[in-house]
Amino acid sequence: MGGRGSGNEELVTTRLSLRRPTPADIDLIHAIHSDPRACAHNPSDMLSTRAEAEDRYQRWDEHWERWGFGYGVVHADGERLGFCGIKVMALRRRQVLNLFYRLDPSAWGDGIATEAATAVVGWATAHGPGHPVIARVRPGNTGSQRVAVRAGLHRAEHLDSHGEDGLDWIFTSRWP
């Protein structure tokens, strides 16, 4: 899924491949992030215009350039289903790898998010910069909570914090 200088910008699982986004994925970024169902638990992530999707793509691409990894486009059977990956951020003054997964609602319920998130957590554990992996999940988002746990993260109530859309429950792989 990355690694500075590795040239490896693809992560493959049994059913999926996760690839670094390209400008060709801007319309998918817009489509998923303008769908109220996909952003129901994180309305601050909603996009209204393609220009906003271009800005989001640019931020994702800059993260890839800086760190050698980032968010990937989830592919299955020749279709692009959404996004999953990690980005470096701070939590409690500590660098962490924030796990992100957002799929088109048509891809929900088939284990795609779990398979992608599990692969990303595995990659981060084996090849990442050694920071804890976290997932910030809204309390009412039980589907996302299940994905985080199935991907190997554990609930860490002591790390809960307020995010842009309210209280974030924190799930983590390990916390020093």
Side-chain angles (χ1 to χ4, degrees):
M1 183 72 192
R4 207 171 286 178
S6 74
N8 184 6
E9 296 173 347
E10 181 176 25
L11 182 62
V12 178
T13 72
T14 303
R15 298 184 294 170
L16 311 173
S17 68
L18 285 77
R19 298 184 191 130
R20 180 179 178 170
T22 70
D25 297 307
I26 292 171
D27 287 333
L28 181 66
I29 292 169
H30 182 253
I32 291 177
H33 289 90
S34 63
D35 186 325
R37 297 169 298 165
C39 296
H41 295 283
N42 298 96
S44 66
D45 285 349
M46 284 284 294
L47 299 178
S48 299
T49 67
R50 190 176 192 283
E52 291 172 327
E54 291 169 0
D55 289 343
R56 184 150 308 162
Y57 164 76
Q58 191 61 41
R59 287 195 312 271
W60 291 2
D61 193 56
E62 288 168 1
H63 188 280
W64 270 94
E65 288 299 316
R66 178 174 181 191
W67 297 99
F69 59 84
Y71 295 161
V73 180
V74 178
H75 296 256
D77 297 325
E79 290 191 47
R80 297 173 305 157
L81 304 177
F83 309 97
C84 183
I86 51 174
K87 75 171 182 181
V88 176
M89 63 170 285
L91 178 70
R92 304 279 172 107
R93 297 187 200 104
R94 186 179 305 272
Q95 277 195 333
V96 296
L97 301 175
N98 182 70
L99 175 65
F100 171 79
Y101 37 91
R102 180 160 294 136
L103 300 178
D104 185 291
S106 67
W108 292 356
D110 194 26
I112 300 292
T114 296
E115 187 172 333
T118 300
V120 168
V121 170
W123 180 90
T125 302
H127 305 288
H131 305 315
V133 176
I134 67 151
R136 298 173 295 155
V137 181
R138 304 280 293 147
N141 193 347
T142 55
S144 187
Q145 292 169 28
R146 282 192 299 272
V147 169
V149 169
R150 290 176 180 157
L153 306 183
H154 306 280
R155 184 80 171 84
E157 295 90 352
H158 65 289
L159 298 175
D160 289 354
S161 59
H162 282 277
E164 293 181 37
D165 295 309
L167 180 64
D168 286 332
W169 281 4
I170 304 298
F171 293 76
T172 185
S173 58
R174 56 185 159 73
W175 190 262

mmCIF file with all atom_site columns, all heavy atoms in Angstrom, residues 45-68:
data_model
loop_
_atom_site.group_PDB
_atom_site.id
_atom_site.type_symbol
_atom_site.label_atom_id
_atom_site.label_alt_id
_atom_site.label_comp_id
_atom_site.label_asym_id
_atom_site.label_entity_id
_atom_site.label_seq_id
_atom_site.pdbx_PDB_ins_code
_atom_site.Cartn_x
_atom_site.Cartn_y
_atom_site.Cartn_z
_atom_site.occupancy
_atom_site.B_iso_or_equiv
_atom_site.pdbx_formal_charge
_atom_site.auth_seq_id
_atom_site.auth_comp_id
_atom_site.auth_asym_id
_atom_site.auth_atom_id
_atom_site.pdbx_PDB_model_num
ATOM 1   N N   . ASP A 1 45 ? -17.909 15.692 6.173   1.00 0.00 ? 45 ASP A N   1
ATOM 2   C CA  . ASP A 1 45 ? -17.186 15.152 5.018   1.00 0.00 ? 45 ASP A CA  1
ATOM 3   C C   . ASP A 1 45 ? -17.958 15.306 3.704   1.00 0.00 ? 45 ASP A C   1
ATOM 4   O O   . ASP A 1 45 ? -17.427 15.004 2.642   1.00 0.00 ? 45 ASP A O   1
ATOM 5   C CB  . ASP A 1 45 ? -16.877 13.667 5.226   1.00 0.00 ? 45 ASP A CB  1
ATOM 6   C CG  . ASP A 1 45 ? -15.747 13.424 6.199   1.00 0.00 ? 45 ASP A CG  1
ATOM 7   O OD1 . ASP A 1 45 ? -15.050 14.387 6.568   1.00 0.00 ? 45 ASP A OD1 1
ATOM 8   O OD2 . ASP A 1 45 ? -15.563 12.253 6.600   1.00 0.00 ? 45 ASP A OD2 1
ATOM 9   N N   . MET A 1 46 ? -19.223 15.761 3.783   1.00 0.00 ? 46 MET A N   1
ATOM 10  C CA  . MET A 1 46 ? -20.043 15.910 2.584   1.00 0.00 ? 46 MET A CA  1
ATOM 11  C C   . MET A 1 46 ? -19.426 16.931 1.633   1.00 0.00 ? 46 MET A C   1
ATOM 12  O O   . MET A 1 46 ? -18.887 17.947 2.064   1.00 0.00 ? 46 MET A O   1
ATOM 13  C CB  . MET A 1 46 ? -21.449 16.387 2.949   1.00 0.00 ? 46 MET A CB  1
ATOM 14  C CG  . MET A 1 46 ? -22.347 15.316 3.534   1.00 0.00 ? 46 MET A CG  1
ATOM 15  S SD  . MET A 1 46 ? -22.981 14.155 2.310   1.00 0.00 ? 46 MET A SD  1
ATOM 16  C CE  . MET A 1 46 ? -24.022 15.199 1.319   1.00 0.00 ? 46 MET A CE  1
ATOM 17  N N   . LEU A 1 47 ? -19.524 16.629 0.353   1.00 0.00 ? 47 LEU A N   1
ATOM 18  C CA  . LEU A 1 47 ? -19.068 17.538 -0.694  1.00 0.00 ? 47 LEU A CA  1
ATOM 19  C C   . LEU A 1 47 ? -20.269 17.978 -1.522  1.00 0.00 ? 47 LEU A C   1
ATOM 20  O O   . LEU A 1 47 ? -21.194 17.198 -1.741  1.00 0.00 ? 47 LEU A O   1
ATOM 21  C CB  . LEU A 1 47 ? -18.055 16.843 -1.601  1.00 0.00 ? 47 LEU A CB  1
ATOM 22  C CG  . LEU A 1 47 ? -16.776 16.337 -0.951  1.00 0.00 ? 47 LEU A CG  1
ATOM 23  C CD1 . LEU A 1 47 ? -15.912 15.625 -1.991  1.00 0.00 ? 47 LEU A CD1 1
ATOM 24  C CD2 . LEU A 1 47 ? -16.012 17.470 -0.302  1.00 0.00 ? 47 LEU A CD2 1
ATOM 25  N N   . SER A 1 48 ? -20.206 19.205 -1.992  1.00 0.00 ? 48 SER A N   1
ATOM 26  C CA  . SER A 1 48 ? -21.284 19.729 -2.841  1.00 0.00 ? 48 SER A CA  1
ATOM 27  C C   . SER A 1 48 ? -20.867 19.830 -4.295  1.00 0.00 ? 48 SER A C   1
ATOM 28  O O   . SER A 1 48 ? -21.694 19.662 -5.191  1.00 0.00 ? 48 SER A O   1
ATOM 29  C CB  . SER A 1 48 ? -21.711 21.116 -2.363  1.00 0.00 ? 48 SER A CB  1
ATOM 30  O OG  . SER A 1 48 ? -22.189 21.053 -1.041  1.00 0.00 ? 48 SER A OG  1
ATOM 31  N N   . THR A 1 49 ? -19.594 20.106 -4.533  1.00 0.00 ? 49 THR A N   1
ATOM 32  C CA  . THR A 1 49 ? -19.152 20.380 -5.903  1.00 0.00 ? 49 THR A CA  1
ATOM 33  C C   . THR A 1 49 ? -17.978 19.495 -6.301  1.00 0.00 ? 49 THR A C   1
ATOM 34  O O   . THR A 1 49 ? -17.264 18.959 -5.441  1.00 0.00 ? 49 THR A O   1
ATOM 35  C CB  . THR A 1 49 ? -18.715 21.845 -6.046  1.00 0.00 ? 49 THR A CB  1
ATOM 36  O OG1 . THR A 1 49 ? -17.529 22.049 -5.260  1.00 0.00 ? 49 THR A OG1 1
ATOM 37  C CG2 . THR A 1 49 ? -19.811 22.806 -5.591  1.00 0.00 ? 49 THR A CG2 1
ATOM 38  N N   . ARG A 1 50 ? -17.781 19.382 -7.596  1.00 0.00 ? 50 ARG A N   1
ATOM 39  C CA  . ARG A 1 50 ? -16.622 18.648 -8.098  1.00 0.00 ? 50 ARG A CA  1
ATOM 40  C C   . ARG A 1 50 ? -15.333 19.347 -7.690  1.00 0.00 ? 50 ARG A C   1
ATOM 41  O O   . ARG A 1 50 ? -14.321 18.701 -7.432  1.00 0.00 ? 50 ARG A O   1
ATOM 42  C CB  . ARG A 1 50 ? -16.689 18.486 -9.608  1.00 0.00 ? 50 ARG A CB  1
ATOM 43  C CG  . ARG A 1 50 ? -15.621 17.523 -10.121 1.00 0.00 ? 50 ARG A CG  1
ATOM 44  C CD  . ARG A 1 50 ? -15.741 17.282 -11.620 1.00 0.00 ? 50 ARG A CD  1
ATOM 45  N NE  . ARG A 1 50 ? -14.912 16.172 -12.040 1.00 0.00 ? 50 ARG A NE  1
ATOM 46  C CZ  . ARG A 1 50 ? -13.584 16.224 -12.198 1.00 0.00 ? 50 ARG A CZ  1
ATOM 47  N NH1 . ARG A 1 50 ? -12.921 17.327 -11.929 1.00 0.00 ? 50 ARG A NH1 1
ATOM 48  N NH2 . ARG A 1 50 ? -12.912 15.151 -12.606 1.00 0.00 ? 50 ARG A NH2 1
ATOM 49  N N   . ALA A 1 51 ? -15.349 20.677 -7.599  1.00 0.00 ? 51 ALA A N   1
ATOM 50  C CA  . ALA A 1 51 ? -14.153 21.420 -7.169  1.00 0.00 ? 51 ALA A CA  1
ATOM 51  C C   . ALA A 1 51 ? -13.741 21.001 -5.759  1.00 0.00 ? 51 ALA A C   1
ATOM 52  O O   . ALA A 1 51 ? -12.544 20.880 -5.474  1.00 0.00 ? 51 ALA A O   1
ATOM 53  C CB  . ALA A 1 51 ? -14.404 22.924 -7.234  1.00 0.00 ? 51 ALA A CB  1
ATOM 54  N N   . GLU A 1 52 ? -14.711 20.762 -4.900  1.00 0.00 ? 52 GLU A N   1
ATOM 55  C CA  . GLU A 1 52 ? -14.386 20.275 -3.548  1.00 0.00 ? 52 GLU A CA  1
ATOM 56  C C   . GLU A 1 52 ? -13.756 18.884 -3.617  1.00 0.00 ? 52 GLU A C   1
ATOM 57  O O   . GLU A 1 52 ? -12.831 18.571 -2.859  1.00 0.00 ? 52 GLU A O   1
ATOM 58  C CB  . GLU A 1 52 ? -15.642 20.237 -2.680  1.00 0.00 ? 52 GLU A CB  1
ATOM 59  C CG  . GLU A 1 52 ? -16.191 21.591 -2.329  1.00 0.00 ? 52 GLU A CG  1
ATOM 60  C CD  . GLU A 1 52 ? -17.537 21.520 -1.628  1.00 0.00 ? 52 GLU A CD  1
ATOM 61  O OE1 . GLU A 1 52 ? -18.336 20.606 -1.917  1.00 0.00 ? 52 GLU A OE1 1
ATOM 62  O OE2 . GLU A 1 52 ? -17.781 22.396 -0.778  1.00 0.00 ? 52 GLU A OE2 1
ATOM 63  N N   . ALA A 1 53 ? -14.235 18.050 -4.534  1.00 0.00 ? 53 ALA A N   1
ATOM 64  C CA  . ALA A 1 53 ? -13.647 16.715 -4.716  1.00 0.00 ? 53 ALA A CA  1
ATOM 65  C C   . ALA A 1 53 ? -12.220 16.823 -5.243  1.00 0.00 ? 53 ALA A C   1
ATOM 66  O O   . ALA A 1 53 ? -11.343 16.049 -4.837  1.00 0.00 ? 53 ALA A O   1
ATOM 67  C CB  . ALA A 1 53 ? -14.504 15.877 -5.659  1.00 0.00 ? 53 ALA A CB  1
ATOM 68  N N   . GLU A 1 54 ? -11.978 17.778 -6.127  1.00 0.00 ? 54 GLU A N   1
ATOM 69  C CA  . GLU A 1 54 ? -10.618 17.999 -6.615  1.00 0.00 ? 54 GLU A CA  1
ATOM 70  C C   . GLU A 1 54 ? -9.699  18.410 -5.467  1.00 0.00 ? 54 GLU A C   1
ATOM 71  O O   . GLU A 1 54 ? -8.560  17.932 -5.379  1.00 0.00 ? 54 GLU A O   1
ATOM 72  C CB  . GLU A 1 54 ? -10.621 19.080 -7.705  1.00 0.00 ? 54 GLU A CB  1
ATOM 73  C CG  . GLU A 1 54 ? -11.282 18.636 -8.990  1.00 0.00 ? 54 GLU A CG  1
ATOM 74  C CD  . GLU A 1 54 ? -11.516 19.784 -9.969  1.00 0.00 ? 54 GLU A CD  1
ATOM 75  O OE1 . GLU A 1 54 ? -11.161 20.949 -9.660  1.00 0.00 ? 54 GLU A OE1 1
ATOM 76  O OE2 . GLU A 1 54 ? -12.073 19.510 -11.045 1.00 0.00 ? 54 GLU A OE2 1
ATOM 77  N N   . ASP A 1 55 ? -10.176 19.278 -4.582  1.00 0.00 ? 55 ASP A N   1
ATOM 78  C CA  . ASP A 1 55 ? -9.389  19.688 -3.416  1.00 0.00 ? 55 ASP A CA  1
ATOM 79  C C   . ASP A 1 55 ? -9.094  18.495 -2.505  1.00 0.00 ? 55 ASP A C   1
ATOM 80  O O   . ASP A 1 55 ? -7.977  18.341 -2.018  1.00 0.00 ? 55 ASP A O   1
ATOM 81  C CB  . ASP A 1 55 ? -10.116 20.772 -2.614  1.00 0.00 ? 55 ASP A CB  1
ATOM 82  C CG  . ASP A 1 55 ? -10.152 22.110 -3.330  1.00 0.00 ? 55 ASP A CG  1
ATOM 83  O OD1 . ASP A 1 55 ? -9.369  22.317 -4.284  1.00 0.00 ? 55 ASP A OD1 1
ATOM 84  O OD2 . ASP A 1 55 ? -10.986 22.953 -2.933  1.00 0.00 ? 55 ASP A OD2 1
ATOM 85  N N   . ARG A 1 56 ? -10.111 17.668 -2.292  1.00 0.00 ? 56 ARG A N   1
ATOM 86  C CA  . ARG A 1 56 ? -9.903  16.490 -1.443  1.00 0.00 ? 56 ARG A CA  1
ATOM 87  C C   . ARG A 1 56 ? -8.886  15.555 -2.079  1.00 0.00 ? 56 ARG A C   1
ATOM 88  O O   . ARG A 1 56 ? -7.981  15.050 -1.410  1.00 0.00 ? 56 ARG A O   1
ATOM 89  C CB  . ARG A 1 56 ? -11.223 15.766 -1.200  1.00 0.00 ? 56 ARG A CB  1
ATOM 90  C CG  . ARG A 1 56 ? -11.035 14.598 -0.251  1.00 0.00 ? 56 ARG A CG  1
ATOM 91  C CD  . ARG A 1 56 ? -12.212 14.262 0.594   1.00 0.00 ? 56 ARG A CD  1
ATOM 92  N NE  . ARG A 1 56 ? -12.743 15.409 1.314   1.00 0.00 ? 56 ARG A NE  1
ATOM 93  C CZ  . ARG A 1 56 ? -13.961 15.448 1.837   1.00 0.00 ? 56 ARG A CZ  1
ATOM 94  N NH1 . ARG A 1 56 ? -14.753 14.403 1.732   1.00 0.00 ? 56 ARG A NH1 1
ATOM 95  N NH2 . ARG A 1 56 ? -14.395 16.506 2.470   1.00 0.00 ? 56 ARG A NH2 1
ATOM 96  N N   . TYR A 1 57 ? -9.016  15.314 -3.377  1.00 0.00 ? 57 TYR A N   1
ATOM 97  C CA  . TYR A 1 57 ? -8.029  14.479 -4.076  1.00 0.00 ? 57 TYR A CA  1
ATOM 98  C C   . TYR A 1 57 ? -6.627  15.069 -3.895  1.00 0.00 ? 57 TYR A C   1
ATOM 99  O O   . TYR A 1 57 ? -5.674  14.335 -3.617  1.00 0.00 ? 57 TYR A O   1
ATOM 100 C CB  . TYR A 1 57 ? -8.354  14.344 -5.572  1.00 0.00 ? 57 TYR A CB  1
ATOM 101 C CG  . TYR A 1 57 ? -7.165  13.837 -6.336  1.00 0.00 ? 57 TYR A CG  1
ATOM 102 C CD1 . TYR A 1 57 ? -6.813  12.493 -6.273  1.00 0.00 ? 57 TYR A CD1 1
ATOM 103 C CD2 . TYR A 1 57 ? -6.334  14.707 -7.039  1.00 0.00 ? 57 TYR A CD2 1
ATOM 104 C CE1 . TYR A 1 57 ? -5.676  12.027 -6.915  1.00 0.00 ? 57 TYR A CE1 1
ATOM 105 C CE2 . TYR A 1 57 ? -5.199  14.252 -7.674  1.00 0.00 ? 57 TYR A CE2 1
ATOM 106 C CZ  . TYR A 1 57 ? -4.872  12.916 -7.612  1.00 0.00 ? 57 TYR A CZ  1
ATOM 107 O OH  . TYR A 1 57 ? -3.736  12.456 -8.223  1.00 0.00 ? 57 TYR A OH  1
ATOM 108 N N   . GLN A 1 58 ? -6.498  16.370 -4.038  1.00 0.00 ? 58 GLN A N   1
ATOM 109 C CA  . GLN A 1 58 ? -5.190  17.024 -3.919  1.00 0.00 ? 58 GLN A CA  1
ATOM 110 C C   . GLN A 1 58 ? -4.587  16.775 -2.530  1.00 0.00 ? 58 GLN A C   1
ATOM 111 O O   . GLN A 1 58 ? -3.398  16.476 -2.415  1.00 0.00 ? 58 GLN A O   1
ATOM 112 C CB  . GLN A 1 58 ? -5.310  18.525 -4.188  1.00 0.00 ? 58 GLN A CB  1
ATOM 113 C CG  . GLN A 1 58 ? -3.977  19.203 -4.336  1.00 0.00 ? 58 GLN A CG  1
ATOM 114 C CD  . GLN A 1 58 ? -3.169  18.657 -5.511  1.00 0.00 ? 58 GLN A CD  1
ATOM 115 O OE1 . GLN A 1 58 ? -3.712  18.401 -6.587  1.00 0.00 ? 58 GLN A OE1 1
ATOM 116 N NE2 . GLN A 1 58 ? -1.888  18.469 -5.317  1.00 0.00 ? 58 GLN A NE2 1
ATOM 117 N N   . ARG A 1 59 ? -5.398  16.888 -1.483  1.00 0.00 ? 59 ARG A N   1
ATOM 118 C CA  . ARG A 1 59 ? -4.904  16.621 -0.121  1.00 0.00 ? 59 ARG A CA  1
ATOM 119 C C   . ARG A 1 59 ? -4.469  15.168 0.018   1.00 0.00 ? 59 ARG A C   1
ATOM 120 O O   . ARG A 1 59 ? -3.440  14.869 0.633   1.00 0.00 ? 59 ARG A O   1
ATOM 121 C CB  . ARG A 1 59 ? -5.965  16.976 0.922   1.00 0.00 ? 59 ARG A CB  1
ATOM 122 C CG  . ARG A 1 59 ? -6.142  18.470 1.107   1.00 0.00 ? 59 ARG A CG  1
ATOM 123 C CD  . ARG A 1 59 ? -6.917  18.820 2.359   1.00 0.00 ? 59 ARG A CD  1
ATOM 124 N NE  . ARG A 1 59 ? -8.148  18.076 2.555   1.00 0.00 ? 59 ARG A NE  1
ATOM 125 C CZ  . ARG A 1 59 ? -9.346  18.442 2.076   1.00 0.00 ? 59 ARG A CZ  1
ATOM 126 N NH1 . ARG A 1 59 ? -9.470  19.541 1.362   1.00 0.00 ? 59 ARG A NH1 1
ATOM 127 N NH2 . ARG A 1 59 ? -10.404 17.709 2.331   1.00 0.00 ? 59 ARG A NH2 1
ATOM 128 N N   . TRP A 1 60 ? -5.267  14.251 -0.521  1.00 0.00 ? 60 TRP A N   1
ATOM 129 C CA  . TRP A 1 60 ? -4.899  12.838 -0.455  1.00 0.00 ? 60 TRP A CA  1
ATOM 130 C C   . TRP A 1 60 ? -3.596  12.588 -1.207  1.00 0.00 ? 60 TRP A C   1
ATOM 131 O O   . TRP A 1 60 ? -2.728  11.846 -0.730  1.00 0.00 ? 60 TRP A O   1
ATOM 132 C CB  . TRP A 1 60 ? -6.010  11.968 -1.044  1.00 0.00 ? 60 TRP A CB  1
ATOM 133 C CG  . TRP A 1 60 ? -7.279  11.905 -0.234  1.00 0.00 ? 60 TRP A CG  1
ATOM 134 C CD1 . TRP A 1 60 ? -7.556  12.567 0.940   1.00 0.00 ? 60 TRP A CD1 1
ATOM 135 C CD2 . TRP A 1 60 ? -8.439  11.151 -0.540  1.00 0.00 ? 60 TRP A CD2 1
ATOM 136 N NE1 . TRP A 1 60 ? -8.822  12.254 1.366   1.00 0.00 ? 60 TRP A NE1 1
ATOM 137 C CE2 . TRP A 1 60 ? -9.389  11.392 0.477   1.00 0.00 ? 60 TRP A CE2 1
ATOM 138 C CE3 . TRP A 1 60 ? -8.782  10.310 -1.582  1.00 0.00 ? 60 TRP A CE3 1
ATOM 139 C CZ2 . TRP A 1 60 ? -10.652 10.794 0.487   1.00 0.00 ? 60 TRP A CZ2 1
ATOM 140 C CZ3 . TRP A 1 60 ? -10.047 9.715  -1.577  1.00 0.00 ? 60 TRP A CZ3 1
ATOM 141 C CH2 . TRP A 1 60 ? -10.963 9.954  -0.547  1.00 0.00 ? 60 TRP A CH2 1
ATOM 142 N N   . ASP A 1 61 ? -3.447  13.201 -2.374  1.00 0.00 ? 61 ASP A N   1
ATOM 143 C CA  . ASP A 1 61 ? -2.248  13.012 -3.180  1.00 0.00 ? 61 ASP A CA  1
ATOM 144 C C   . ASP A 1 61 ? -1.019  13.604 -2.470  1.00 0.00 ? 61 ASP A C   1
ATOM 145 O O   . ASP A 1 61 ? 0.062   12.997 -2.494  1.00 0.00 ? 61 ASP A O   1
ATOM 146 C CB  . ASP A 1 61 ? -2.440  13.646 -4.561  1.00 0.00 ? 61 ASP A CB  1
ATOM 147 C CG  . ASP A 1 61 ? -1.365  13.212 -5.529  1.00 0.00 ? 61 ASP A CG  1
ATOM 148 O OD1 . ASP A 1 61 ? -1.185  11.987 -5.735  1.00 0.00 ? 61 ASP A OD1 1
ATOM 149 O OD2 . ASP A 1 61 ? -0.685  14.090 -6.083  1.00 0.00 ? 61 ASP A OD2 1
ATOM 150 N N   . GLU A 1 62 ? -1.187  14.755 -1.846  1.00 0.00 ? 62 GLU A N   1
ATOM 151 C CA  . GLU A 1 62 ? -0.077  15.360 -1.098  1.00 0.00 ? 62 GLU A CA  1
ATOM 152 C C   . GLU A 1 62 ? 0.363   14.459 0.063   1.00 0.00 ? 62 GLU A C   1
ATOM 153 O O   . GLU A 1 62 ? 1.549   14.354 0.358   1.00 0.00 ? 62 GLU A O   1
ATOM 154 C CB  . GLU A 1 62 ? -0.478  16.743 -0.578  1.00 0.00 ? 62 GLU A CB  1
ATOM 155 C CG  . GLU A 1 62 ? -0.556  17.775 -1.682  1.00 0.00 ? 62 GLU A CG  1
ATOM 156 C CD  . GLU A 1 62 ? -1.233  19.072 -1.261  1.00 0.00 ? 62 GLU A CD  1
ATOM 157 O OE1 . GLU A 1 62 ? -1.642  19.200 -0.075  1.00 0.00 ? 62 GLU A OE1 1
ATOM 158 O OE2 . GLU A 1 62 ? -1.370  19.962 -2.126  1.00 0.00 ? 62 GLU A OE2 1
ATOM 159 N N   . HIS A 1 63 ? -0.589  13.796 0.718   1.00 0.00 ? 63 HIS A N   1
ATOM 160 C CA  . HIS A 1 63 ? -0.232  12.854 1.786   1.00 0.00 ? 63 HIS A CA  1
ATOM 161 C C   . HIS A 1 63 ? 0.598   11.711 1.213   1.00 0.00 ? 63 HIS A C   1
ATOM 162 O O   . HIS A 1 63 ? 1.621   11.320 1.788   1.00 0.00 ? 63 HIS A O   1
ATOM 163 C CB  . HIS A 1 63 ? -1.496  12.323 2.477   1.00 0.00 ? 63 HIS A CB  1
ATOM 164 C CG  . HIS A 1 63 ? -1.198  11.501 3.690   1.00 0.00 ? 63 HIS A CG  1
ATOM 165 N ND1 . HIS A 1 63 ? -0.804  10.170 3.617   1.00 0.00 ? 63 HIS A ND1 1
ATOM 166 C CD2 . HIS A 1 63 ? -1.212  11.814 5.003   1.00 0.00 ? 63 HIS A CD2 1
ATOM 167 C CE1 . HIS A 1 63 ? -0.609  9.710  4.840   1.00 0.00 ? 63 HIS A CE1 1
ATOM 168 N NE2 . HIS A 1 63 ? -0.843  10.692 5.703   1.00 0.00 ? 63 HIS A NE2 1
ATOM 169 N N   . TRP A 1 64 ? 0.178   11.164 0.066   1.00 0.00 ? 64 TRP A N   1
ATOM 170 C CA  . TRP A 1 64 ? 0.946   10.099 -0.587  1.00 0.00 ? 64 TRP A CA  1
ATOM 171 C C   . TRP A 1 64 ? 2.360   10.577 -0.896  1.00 0.00 ? 64 TRP A C   1
ATOM 172 O O   . TRP A 1 64 ? 3.333   9.840  -0.685  1.00 0.00 ? 64 TRP A O   1
ATOM 173 C CB  . TRP A 1 64 ? 0.256   9.648  -1.872  1.00 0.00 ? 64 TRP A CB  1
ATOM 174 C CG  . TRP A 1 64 ? -0.730  8.535  -1.692  1.00 0.00 ? 64 TRP A CG  1
ATOM 175 C CD1 . TRP A 1 64 ? -2.076  8.650  -1.505  1.00 0.00 ? 64 TRP A CD1 1
ATOM 176 C CD2 . TRP A 1 64 ? -0.456  7.132  -1.688  1.00 0.00 ? 64 TRP A CD2 1
ATOM 177 N NE1 . TRP A 1 64 ? -2.646  7.410  -1.385  1.00 0.00 ? 64 TRP A NE1 1
ATOM 178 C CE2 . TRP A 1 64 ? -1.677  6.463  -1.503  1.00 0.00 ? 64 TRP A CE2 1
ATOM 179 C CE3 . TRP A 1 64 ? 0.711   6.389  -1.837  1.00 0.00 ? 64 TRP A CE3 1
ATOM 180 C CZ2 . TRP A 1 64 ? -1.761  5.070  -1.455  1.00 0.00 ? 64 TRP A CZ2 1
ATOM 181 C CZ3 . TRP A 1 64 ? 0.623   5.007  -1.793  1.00 0.00 ? 64 TRP A CZ3 1
ATOM 182 C CH2 . TRP A 1 64 ? -0.607  4.363  -1.596  1.00 0.00 ? 64 TRP A CH2 1
ATOM 183 N N   . GLU A 1 65 ? 2.474   11.785 -1.428  1.00 0.00 ? 65 GLU A N   1
ATOM 184 C CA  . GLU A 1 65 ? 3.788   12.328 -1.778  1.00 0.00 ? 65 GLU A CA  1
ATOM 185 C C   . GLU A 1 65 ? 4.668   12.483 -0.539  1.00 0.00 ? 65 GLU A C   1
ATOM 186 O O   . GLU A 1 65 ? 5.860   12.184 -0.589  1.00 0.00 ? 65 GLU A O   1
ATOM 187 C CB  . GLU A 1 65 ? 3.642   13.680 -2.489  1.00 0.00 ? 65 GLU A CB  1
ATOM 188 C CG  . GLU A 1 65 ? 3.115   13.570 -3.900  1.00 0.00 ? 65 GLU A CG  1
ATOM 189 C CD  . GLU A 1 65 ? 4.017   12.753 -4.814  1.00 0.00 ? 65 GLU A CD  1
ATOM 190 O OE1 . GLU A 1 65 ? 5.244   12.934 -4.767  1.00 0.00 ? 65 GLU A OE1 1
ATOM 191 O OE2 . GLU A 1 65 ? 3.482   11.908 -5.570  1.00 0.00 ? 65 GLU A OE2 1
ATOM 192 N N   . ARG A 1 66 ? 4.093   12.946 0.547   1.00 0.00 ? 66 ARG A N   1
ATOM 193 C CA  . ARG A 1 66 ? 4.877   13.176 1.762   1.00 0.00 ? 66 ARG A CA  1
ATOM 194 C C   . ARG A 1 66 ? 5.246   11.884 2.478   1.00 0.00 ? 66 ARG A C   1
ATOM 195 O O   . ARG A 1 66 ? 6.368   11.723 2.949   1.00 0.00 ? 66 ARG A O   1
ATOM 196 C CB  . ARG A 1 66 ? 4.102   14.087 2.715   1.00 0.00 ? 66 ARG A CB  1
ATOM 197 C CG  . ARG A 1 66 ? 4.856   14.323 4.005   1.00 0.00 ? 66 ARG A CG  1
ATOM 198 C CD  . ARG A 1 66 ? 4.203   15.317 4.896   1.00 0.00 ? 66 ARG A CD  1
ATOM 199 N NE  . ARG A 1 66 ? 5.025   15.493 6.095   1.00 0.00 ? 66 ARG A NE  1
ATOM 200 C CZ  . ARG A 1 66 ? 4.631   16.138 7.150   1.00 0.00 ? 66 ARG A CZ  1
ATOM 201 N NH1 . ARG A 1 66 ? 3.442   16.700 7.195   1.00 0.00 ? 66 ARG A NH1 1
ATOM 202 N NH2 . ARG A 1 66 ? 5.419   16.226 8.195   1.00 0.00 ? 66 ARG A NH2 1
ATOM 203 N N   . TRP A 1 67 ? 4.285   10.971 2.602   1.00 0.00 ? 67 TRP A N   1
ATOM 204 C CA  . TRP A 1 67 ? 4.476   9.801  3.458   1.00 0.00 ? 67 TRP A CA  1
ATOM 205 C C   . TRP A 1 67 ? 4.705   8.490  2.703   1.00 0.00 ? 67 TRP A C   1
ATOM 206 O O   . TRP A 1 67 ? 5.144   7.510  3.301   1.00 0.00 ? 67 TRP A O   1
ATOM 207 C CB  . TRP A 1 67 ? 3.278   9.627  4.397   1.00 0.00 ? 67 TRP A CB  1
ATOM 208 C CG  . TRP A 1 67 ? 3.121   10.784 5.334   1.00 0.00 ? 67 TRP A CG  1
ATOM 209 C CD1 . TRP A 1 67 ? 2.259   11.843 5.200   1.00 0.00 ? 67 TRP A CD1 1
ATOM 210 C CD2 . TRP A 1 67 ? 3.838   11.020 6.538   1.00 0.00 ? 67 TRP A CD2 1
ATOM 211 N NE1 . TRP A 1 67 ? 2.402   12.706 6.250   1.00 0.00 ? 67 TRP A NE1 1
ATOM 212 C CE2 . TRP A 1 67 ? 3.365   12.229 7.094   1.00 0.00 ? 67 TRP A CE2 1
ATOM 213 C CE3 . TRP A 1 67 ? 4.850   10.321 7.208   1.00 0.00 ? 67 TRP A CE3 1
ATOM 214 C CZ2 . TRP A 1 67 ? 3.860   12.753 8.281   1.00 0.00 ? 67 TRP A CZ2 1
ATOM 215 C CZ3 . TRP A 1 67 ? 5.336   10.846 8.394   1.00 0.00 ? 67 TRP A CZ3 1
ATOM 216 C CH2 . TRP A 1 67 ? 4.853   12.039 8.919   1.00 0.00 ? 67 TRP A CH2 1
ATOM 217 N N   . GLY A 1 68 ? 4.363   8.424  1.432   1.00 0.00 ? 68 GLY A N   1
ATOM 218 C CA  . GLY A 1 68 ? 4.523   7.191  0.666   1.00 0.00 ? 68 GLY A CA  1
ATOM 219 C C   . GLY A 1 68 ? 3.390   6.206  0.851   1.00 0.00 ? 68 GLY A C   1
ATOM 220 O O   . GLY A 1 68 ? 3.470   5.071  0.398   1.00 0.00 ? 68 GLY A O   1
#
